[in-house]
Short mmCIF file of all heavy atoms in Angstrom, two decimals:
data_model
loop_
_atom_site.label_atom_id
_atom_site.label_comp_id
_atom_site.label_asym_id
_atom_site.label_seq_id
_atom_site.Cartn_x
_atom_site.Cartn_y
_atom_site.Cartn_z
N MET A 69 52.41 -63.71 -10.55
CA MET A 69 52.45 -63.99 -9.11
C MET A 69 53.87 -64.37 -8.68
O MET A 69 54.37 -63.92 -7.65
CB MET A 69 51.45 -65.11 -8.79
CG MET A 69 51.22 -65.32 -7.31
SD MET A 69 50.23 -66.80 -6.99
CE MET A 69 48.89 -66.55 -8.11
N ILE A 75 56.74 -62.44 -2.77
CA ILE A 75 56.81 -63.89 -2.94
C ILE A 75 58.24 -64.31 -3.27
O ILE A 75 58.77 -65.30 -2.74
CB ILE A 75 55.82 -64.34 -4.03
CG1 ILE A 75 54.39 -64.11 -3.53
CG2 ILE A 75 56.02 -65.78 -4.39
CD1 ILE A 75 53.32 -64.42 -4.54
N TRP A 78 60.50 -64.36 -0.15
CA TRP A 78 60.35 -65.54 0.73
C TRP A 78 60.90 -66.80 0.09
O TRP A 78 61.53 -67.63 0.74
CB TRP A 78 58.87 -65.71 1.07
CG TRP A 78 58.67 -66.81 2.09
CD1 TRP A 78 58.71 -66.72 3.43
CD2 TRP A 78 58.40 -68.18 1.78
NE1 TRP A 78 58.50 -67.92 4.02
CE2 TRP A 78 58.31 -68.87 3.02
CE3 TRP A 78 58.25 -68.92 0.62
CZ2 TRP A 78 58.06 -70.22 3.10
CZ3 TRP A 78 58.01 -70.27 0.69
CH2 TRP A 78 57.90 -70.91 1.93
N LEU A 79 60.67 -66.95 -1.24
CA LEU A 79 61.14 -68.16 -1.92
C LEU A 79 62.65 -68.27 -1.92
O LEU A 79 63.20 -69.37 -1.98
CB LEU A 79 60.61 -68.18 -3.36
CG LEU A 79 59.11 -68.39 -3.55
CD1 LEU A 79 58.74 -68.29 -5.02
CD2 LEU A 79 58.69 -69.75 -3.01
N ALA A 96 50.06 -63.58 -1.82
CA ALA A 96 49.38 -64.75 -2.39
C ALA A 96 47.88 -64.67 -2.19
O ALA A 96 47.08 -65.02 -3.07
CB ALA A 96 49.94 -66.03 -1.77
N GLU A 107 42.11 -72.48 -6.66
CA GLU A 107 41.60 -73.06 -5.41
C GLU A 107 42.62 -72.90 -4.27
O GLU A 107 42.26 -72.50 -3.17
CB GLU A 107 41.29 -74.54 -5.61
CG GLU A 107 40.77 -75.22 -4.35
CD GLU A 107 40.47 -76.68 -4.58
OE1 GLU A 107 40.61 -77.14 -5.73
OE2 GLU A 107 40.10 -77.38 -3.62
N GLU A 108 43.89 -73.22 -4.55
CA GLU A 108 44.92 -73.12 -3.54
C GLU A 108 46.20 -72.58 -4.17
O GLU A 108 46.43 -72.75 -5.38
CB GLU A 108 45.23 -74.50 -2.92
CG GLU A 108 44.11 -75.07 -2.05
CD GLU A 108 43.94 -74.32 -0.74
OE1 GLU A 108 44.88 -73.59 -0.33
OE2 GLU A 108 42.89 -74.44 -0.13
N ILE A 109 47.02 -71.90 -3.35
CA ILE A 109 48.35 -71.44 -3.77
C ILE A 109 49.36 -71.94 -2.74
O ILE A 109 49.23 -71.67 -1.53
CB ILE A 109 48.41 -69.90 -3.85
CG1 ILE A 109 47.43 -69.39 -4.92
CG2 ILE A 109 49.83 -69.43 -4.17
CD1 ILE A 109 47.35 -67.88 -4.98
N TYR A 110 50.37 -72.70 -3.23
CA TYR A 110 51.43 -73.23 -2.38
C TYR A 110 52.74 -72.55 -2.75
O TYR A 110 53.04 -72.38 -3.94
CB TYR A 110 51.61 -74.74 -2.56
CG TYR A 110 50.37 -75.56 -2.28
CD1 TYR A 110 50.12 -76.74 -2.99
CD2 TYR A 110 49.45 -75.19 -1.31
CE1 TYR A 110 49.00 -77.51 -2.75
CE2 TYR A 110 48.33 -75.94 -1.05
CZ TYR A 110 48.11 -77.12 -1.78
OH TYR A 110 47.00 -77.88 -1.53
N LEU A 111 53.53 -72.19 -1.71
CA LEU A 111 54.87 -71.66 -1.91
C LEU A 111 55.86 -72.61 -1.21
O LEU A 111 55.69 -72.93 -0.02
CB LEU A 111 54.99 -70.25 -1.33
CG LEU A 111 54.03 -69.19 -1.90
CD1 LEU A 111 54.25 -67.87 -1.18
CD2 LEU A 111 54.25 -69.02 -3.38
N PHE A 112 56.88 -73.07 -1.97
CA PHE A 112 57.87 -74.01 -1.44
C PHE A 112 59.24 -73.36 -1.47
O PHE A 112 59.70 -72.94 -2.55
CB PHE A 112 57.89 -75.31 -2.25
CG PHE A 112 56.61 -76.08 -2.20
CD1 PHE A 112 55.66 -75.98 -3.22
CD2 PHE A 112 56.30 -76.90 -1.12
CE1 PHE A 112 54.49 -76.70 -3.19
CE2 PHE A 112 55.13 -77.61 -1.08
CZ PHE A 112 54.21 -77.52 -2.10
N ALA A 119 57.01 -74.83 3.53
CA ALA A 119 55.95 -74.52 2.57
C ALA A 119 54.95 -73.55 3.20
O ALA A 119 54.68 -73.62 4.41
CB ALA A 119 55.23 -75.77 2.12
N LEU A 120 54.44 -72.64 2.38
CA LEU A 120 53.38 -71.72 2.79
C LEU A 120 52.08 -72.14 2.12
O LEU A 120 52.02 -72.30 0.90
CB LEU A 120 53.73 -70.29 2.40
CG LEU A 120 54.58 -69.48 3.37
CD1 LEU A 120 54.80 -68.08 2.83
CD2 LEU A 120 53.94 -69.41 4.75
N ASP A 121 51.05 -72.29 2.91
CA ASP A 121 49.72 -72.65 2.42
C ASP A 121 48.75 -71.61 2.97
O ASP A 121 48.75 -71.34 4.17
CB ASP A 121 49.35 -74.05 2.91
CG ASP A 121 48.00 -74.48 2.40
OD1 ASP A 121 47.38 -73.70 1.64
OD2 ASP A 121 47.54 -75.57 2.77
N LEU A 122 47.91 -71.02 2.10
CA LEU A 122 46.99 -69.98 2.54
C LEU A 122 45.98 -70.50 3.57
O LEU A 122 45.42 -69.72 4.35
CB LEU A 122 46.25 -69.39 1.34
CG LEU A 122 47.11 -68.65 0.31
CD1 LEU A 122 46.23 -68.11 -0.81
CD2 LEU A 122 47.87 -67.51 0.96
N LYS A 123 45.77 -71.81 3.57
CA LYS A 123 44.78 -72.37 4.48
C LYS A 123 45.41 -72.76 5.82
O LYS A 123 44.84 -72.53 6.89
CB LYS A 123 44.11 -73.58 3.83
CG LYS A 123 42.95 -74.15 4.65
CD LYS A 123 42.33 -75.33 3.93
CE LYS A 123 41.69 -74.91 2.64
NZ LYS A 123 40.97 -76.04 2.00
N PHE A 124 46.64 -73.37 5.77
CA PHE A 124 47.26 -73.89 7.00
C PHE A 124 48.48 -73.07 7.45
O PHE A 124 49.02 -73.29 8.51
CB PHE A 124 47.69 -75.35 6.79
CG PHE A 124 46.56 -76.26 6.47
CD1 PHE A 124 46.28 -76.63 5.17
CD2 PHE A 124 45.72 -76.72 7.48
CE1 PHE A 124 45.24 -77.47 4.88
CE2 PHE A 124 44.67 -77.57 7.20
CZ PHE A 124 44.42 -77.94 5.88
N PHE A 132 53.57 -81.03 5.55
CA PHE A 132 52.72 -80.35 4.55
C PHE A 132 51.54 -81.25 4.18
O PHE A 132 51.73 -82.44 3.86
CB PHE A 132 53.55 -80.01 3.32
CG PHE A 132 52.80 -79.22 2.30
CD1 PHE A 132 52.37 -77.92 2.58
CD2 PHE A 132 52.48 -79.76 1.07
CE1 PHE A 132 51.69 -77.18 1.66
CE2 PHE A 132 51.80 -79.03 0.14
CZ PHE A 132 51.39 -77.74 0.42
N PRO A 133 50.30 -80.76 4.20
CA PRO A 133 49.13 -81.64 4.02
C PRO A 133 48.98 -82.19 2.60
O PRO A 133 48.44 -83.27 2.43
CB PRO A 133 47.94 -80.73 4.38
CG PRO A 133 48.45 -79.34 4.20
CD PRO A 133 49.91 -79.38 4.56
N ASP A 134 49.42 -81.48 1.57
CA ASP A 134 49.24 -81.95 0.19
C ASP A 134 50.56 -82.52 -0.31
O ASP A 134 51.33 -81.88 -1.03
CB ASP A 134 48.77 -80.79 -0.71
CG ASP A 134 48.26 -81.29 -2.05
OD1 ASP A 134 48.49 -82.46 -2.38
OD2 ASP A 134 47.63 -80.47 -2.78
N GLN A 135 50.85 -83.76 0.12
CA GLN A 135 52.12 -84.38 -0.24
C GLN A 135 52.19 -84.68 -1.74
O GLN A 135 53.28 -84.73 -2.31
CB GLN A 135 52.30 -85.68 0.57
CG GLN A 135 52.57 -85.43 2.05
CD GLN A 135 53.91 -84.74 2.28
OE1 GLN A 135 54.91 -85.08 1.65
NE2 GLN A 135 53.91 -83.76 3.18
N ALA A 136 51.03 -84.89 -2.39
CA ALA A 136 51.05 -85.16 -3.83
C ALA A 136 51.59 -83.95 -4.60
O ALA A 136 52.37 -84.08 -5.55
CB ALA A 136 49.65 -85.51 -4.33
N ALA A 137 51.20 -82.75 -4.18
CA ALA A 137 51.72 -81.55 -4.83
C ALA A 137 53.20 -81.39 -4.54
O ALA A 137 53.98 -80.96 -5.40
CB ALA A 137 50.94 -80.32 -4.34
N LEU A 138 53.64 -81.75 -3.30
CA LEU A 138 55.05 -81.65 -2.95
C LEU A 138 55.87 -82.63 -3.79
O LEU A 138 56.99 -82.31 -4.22
CB LEU A 138 55.23 -81.92 -1.46
CG LEU A 138 56.67 -81.84 -0.92
CD1 LEU A 138 57.24 -80.44 -1.16
CD2 LEU A 138 56.71 -82.18 0.55
N VAL A 141 56.64 -81.15 -7.09
CA VAL A 141 57.71 -80.14 -7.03
C VAL A 141 59.08 -80.82 -6.91
O VAL A 141 60.06 -80.39 -7.52
CB VAL A 141 57.46 -79.19 -5.84
CG1 VAL A 141 58.65 -78.28 -5.62
CG2 VAL A 141 56.20 -78.38 -6.09
N TYR A 154 46.88 -84.39 -11.04
CA TYR A 154 47.21 -85.34 -9.97
C TYR A 154 45.98 -85.55 -9.11
O TYR A 154 44.98 -84.83 -9.22
CB TYR A 154 48.39 -84.81 -9.15
CG TYR A 154 48.06 -83.67 -8.22
CD1 TYR A 154 47.84 -83.87 -6.86
CD2 TYR A 154 47.96 -82.37 -8.71
CE1 TYR A 154 47.55 -82.81 -6.02
CE2 TYR A 154 47.66 -81.32 -7.87
CZ TYR A 154 47.44 -81.54 -6.52
OH TYR A 154 47.14 -80.50 -5.70
N ARG A 156 44.13 -85.94 -5.36
CA ARG A 156 44.21 -85.54 -3.96
C ARG A 156 42.88 -85.82 -3.29
O ARG A 156 41.84 -85.33 -3.75
CB ARG A 156 44.54 -84.05 -3.84
CG ARG A 156 44.81 -83.62 -2.40
CD ARG A 156 45.00 -82.11 -2.32
NE ARG A 156 43.70 -81.45 -2.45
CZ ARG A 156 43.56 -80.11 -2.50
NH1 ARG A 156 44.63 -79.34 -2.46
NH2 ARG A 156 42.36 -79.58 -2.62
N ALA A 163 47.26 -78.64 -11.46
CA ALA A 163 48.21 -77.75 -10.80
C ALA A 163 49.20 -77.23 -11.82
O ALA A 163 49.54 -77.91 -12.79
CB ALA A 163 48.93 -78.48 -9.67
N LEU A 164 49.69 -76.00 -11.57
CA LEU A 164 50.71 -75.37 -12.40
C LEU A 164 51.90 -75.06 -11.51
O LEU A 164 51.77 -74.35 -10.50
CB LEU A 164 50.18 -74.09 -13.04
CG LEU A 164 51.18 -73.31 -13.89
CD1 LEU A 164 51.57 -74.12 -15.12
CD2 LEU A 164 50.59 -71.97 -14.31
N ILE A 166 55.58 -73.34 -11.06
CA ILE A 166 56.42 -72.27 -11.60
C ILE A 166 57.58 -72.05 -10.63
O ILE A 166 57.35 -71.86 -9.42
CB ILE A 166 55.64 -70.97 -11.76
CG1 ILE A 166 54.44 -71.19 -12.70
CG2 ILE A 166 56.53 -69.86 -12.31
CD1 ILE A 166 53.56 -69.99 -12.80
N TYR A 178 59.49 -72.74 -5.38
CA TYR A 178 58.46 -73.04 -6.36
C TYR A 178 57.13 -72.45 -5.90
O TYR A 178 56.84 -72.38 -4.71
CB TYR A 178 58.30 -74.55 -6.56
CG TYR A 178 59.48 -75.21 -7.18
CD1 TYR A 178 60.51 -75.72 -6.37
CD2 TYR A 178 59.58 -75.34 -8.56
CE1 TYR A 178 61.61 -76.33 -6.95
CE2 TYR A 178 60.67 -75.96 -9.13
CZ TYR A 178 61.69 -76.45 -8.33
OH TYR A 178 62.76 -77.04 -8.91
N LEU A 179 56.36 -72.07 -6.89
CA LEU A 179 54.99 -71.63 -6.67
C LEU A 179 54.06 -72.63 -7.36
O LEU A 179 54.25 -72.93 -8.55
CB LEU A 179 54.76 -70.23 -7.23
CG LEU A 179 53.38 -69.62 -7.03
CD1 LEU A 179 53.50 -68.12 -6.85
CD2 LEU A 179 52.47 -69.90 -8.23
N VAL A 180 53.11 -73.15 -6.65
CA VAL A 180 52.17 -74.12 -7.20
C VAL A 180 50.76 -73.54 -7.09
O VAL A 180 50.32 -73.17 -6.00
CB VAL A 180 52.25 -75.46 -6.46
CG1 VAL A 180 51.21 -76.43 -7.03
CG2 VAL A 180 53.65 -76.06 -6.57
N MET A 181 50.10 -73.42 -8.25
CA MET A 181 48.69 -72.99 -8.27
C MET A 181 47.82 -74.22 -8.49
O MET A 181 47.94 -74.91 -9.51
CB MET A 181 48.44 -71.98 -9.41
CG MET A 181 49.05 -70.64 -9.20
SD MET A 181 48.36 -69.40 -10.34
CE MET A 181 48.45 -70.28 -11.88
N VAL A 182 46.95 -74.52 -7.53
CA VAL A 182 45.98 -75.61 -7.66
C VAL A 182 44.67 -75.00 -8.16
O VAL A 182 44.14 -74.07 -7.55
CB VAL A 182 45.78 -76.34 -6.33
CG1 VAL A 182 44.79 -77.49 -6.50
CG2 VAL A 182 47.11 -76.86 -5.80
#
Side-chain angles (χ1 to χ4, degrees):
M69 190 188 311
I75 293 176
W78 186 87
L79 291 176
E107 179 180 357
E108 290 290 342
I109 297 175
Y110 302 147
L111 301 178
F112 296 99
L120 274 181
D121 181 2
L122 296 181
K123 186 179 295 185
F124 299 99
F132 185 66
D134 194 346
Q135 289 294 318
L138 181 60
V141 171
Y154 74 100
R156 187 186 75 184
L164 178 66
I166 301 175
Y178 293 90
L179 182 146
V180 178
M181 290 195 313
V182 181

